[in-house]
Amino acid sequence: MDPTASTPSTTATVRRPTSTRFTRGLGVAVIVGAAWVALFGLVLSPNDALQKTGVRILYIHVPSAWLAYLAFIVTGISSAGYLWKRTRSLVWDRVAGASAEVGVLFMGITLVTGSLWGSITWGTYWTWDSRLTTTAFLFVTYIGYLAVRGLGGTLHQRARRSAILALFAVLEVPLVHFSVKWWRPLHQNESVAEGELEDMMLFTLFSGIVTFTLLYVWLVIHRQRTLALDDSVAEHGLDAALAERRQEALQ
Amino acid sequence: MDLSPREAVPTAVGKPRKRPWLAVGVLVAVLAGAGVLVFKFLTNAVDYYCNVDEIGVKDGCDVGRSIRIQGVVDQGSVTGEGLNFVISYNGQSMPVVVGSKPTGIFSECVPVVVSGKVVENADGRVFEGREVIVKHDNQYDAENADRLAQGEAEAAACLRKD
């Protein structure tokens, strides 16, 4: 028997791209959407009567916030998918992790763009308003979630503890969303659902939300695939080490 | 007796992270950050949020107490490059004096929130403000929308003549 026959190093040469025809098409749609939003956001949509050109920040800020909410909700649903015995699979865990990473990125963008908009409109970059504070808390919570994922242990240990945390963390999303109703905030109420936006502004904002949603799908698909490759390396790396030790024992 | 080594089987027991200390460090920073956020939010919430008409009427909106007051800047009331102005809400007015010029989209007829306290002097009550923040509602109108509407109306009238 050849003890090297099962050495998994041979699998390292197998090409496993993270893109497919679907994701390549999706990527093209995102690029077209981004150009569309830039055209409408920077050129075709009008200035606001009070904020002047500062209103254009909203075309990034609002879609980023929406994307972050979506990402954290998907993380919560995927975590439940992992914890439920019938559907237990590391695929759920990887989707949860990928979605949380994308969510943290866009929550950060939401905070930065909101701060810039606040400086132009409110006259301050930051205030301890209920919406701002709960948003920052949500951001910090999911950075913590990502840190918990990196604590080590087996893949299933990682999946279990982060899934439990995600189910608690997702409860913060409605807290952030409804904070403008439950407290007396400086931050305005929902601009899209309840506000009155000039038609072209609303159209531009809607275009941004659609484009950011496509971008989210593209990012999560790719990231969960690279996470799968990471996990595969972690597994096969150990197998290769074991095979090496076995070979040493036979010599 | 078969002493040949067992086949290597795919394992899921490998440790995917080589540097858990980094994650532990981030986690400690996150917990500290979350603590600071909660503390700042709660201590800031101590400043009661009052409308102009609630001063001296509503519990917590007392004279001499550190509060945040909300009202709309009266037209023609802004003097001293924004250091003095009057705000009104629900028919009640309050003169405001601030130490630094308000920024943002501060102007007459916009709603503002001023942090500070109400003091009483010989001229009556004055709000001594530390910070002025402009409040913006969720209504967004195009700049010069009136001119656009007028242009569209004139264009429509012109078409009807044809």
Side-chain angles (χ1 to χ4, degrees), chain B residues 5-139:
Chain B
R6 282 171 293 177
E7 293 285 314
V9 289
T11 55
V13 293
K15 296 190 176 184
R17 294 278 175 223
K18 290 174 183 168
R19 292 182 299 172
W21 54 267
L22 184 65
V24 172
V26 171
L27 206 53
V28 170
V30 160
L31 289 173
V36 168
L37 284 175
V38 172
F39 176 76
K40 291 293 286 185
F41 181 62
L42 292 178
T43 50
N44 194 259
V46 171
D47 280 0
Y48 223 77
Y49 204 110
C50 309
N51 294 322
V52 175
D53 60 328
E54 292 171 339
I55 300 298
V57 179
K58 190 180 170 187
D59 230 17
C61 302
D62 311 310
V63 174
R65 180 176 175 165
S66 184
I67 57 171
R68 283 171 292 171
I69 189 171
Q70 175 181 256
V72 176
V73 180
D74 284 3
Q75 195 162 22
S77 73
V78 181
T79 57
E81 293 189 325
L83 297 178
N84 300 283
F85 53 92
V86 177
I87 57 173
S88 299
Y89 193 91
N90 211 11
Q92 297 291 314
S93 297
M94 172 76 65
V96 179
V97 182
V98 289
S100 57
K101 194 180 162 186
T103 54
I105 55 170
F106 178 85
S107 64
E108 293 170 352
C109 304
V110 298
V112 292
V113 177
V114 190
S115 304
K117 62 181 179 182
V118 180
V119 294
E120 288 202 290
N121 57 28
D123 299 327
R125 289 176 176 175
V126 176
F127 194 83
E128 289 184 348
R130 296 186 305 269
E131 184 185 30
V132 181
I133 295 177
V134 180
K135 208 166 156 36
H136 189 277
D137 61 15
N138 52 6
Q139 185 169 336

Side-chain angles (χ1 to χ4, degrees), chain A residues 7-153:
Chain A
T7 304
S9 58
T10 51
T11 60
T13 57
V14 176
R15 192 165 171 270
R16 292 172 66 185
T18 61
S19 65
T20 59
R21 184 176 291 179
F22 170 73
T23 57
R24 282 192 289 274
L26 193 59
V28 170
V30 170
I31 291 169
V32 171
W36 177 271
V37 173
L39 176 68
F40 277 83
L42 296 173
V43 182
L44 299 179
S45 69
N47 280 352
D48 179 68
L50 281 173
Q51 302 165 54
K52 311 298 179 195
T53 195
V55 72
R56 300 176 197 283
I57 294 176
L58 292 187
Y59 306 136
I60 299 292
H61 176 72
V62 175
S64 297
W66 148 253
L67 192 156
Y69 283 174
L70 173 69
F72 296 149
I73 290 168
V74 169
T75 295
I77 292 169
S78 302
S79 299
Y82 175 80
L83 288 175
W84 199 28
K85 281 182 181 174
R86 284 188 183 181
T87 55
R88 180 159 295 172
S89 160
L90 284 172
V91 173
W92 289 111
D93 171 64
R94 289 192 281 263
V95 170
S99 188
E101 286 181 12
V102 176
V104 164
L105 174 68
F106 280 88
M107 195 89 272
I109 292 172
T110 304
L111 286 167
V112 170
T113 51
S115 184
L116 291 172
W117 184 87
S119 169
I120 293 169
T121 306
W122 296 334
T124 183
Y125 284 103
W126 185 263
T127 180
W128 295 102
D129 167 81
S130 56
R131 170 58 75 82
L132 274 66
T133 310
T134 51
T135 302
F137 195 81
L138 185 67
F139 178 62
V140 165
T141 300
Y142 277 88
I143 290 176
Y145 167 85
L146 295 179
V148 165
R149 289 184 67 84
L151 280 178

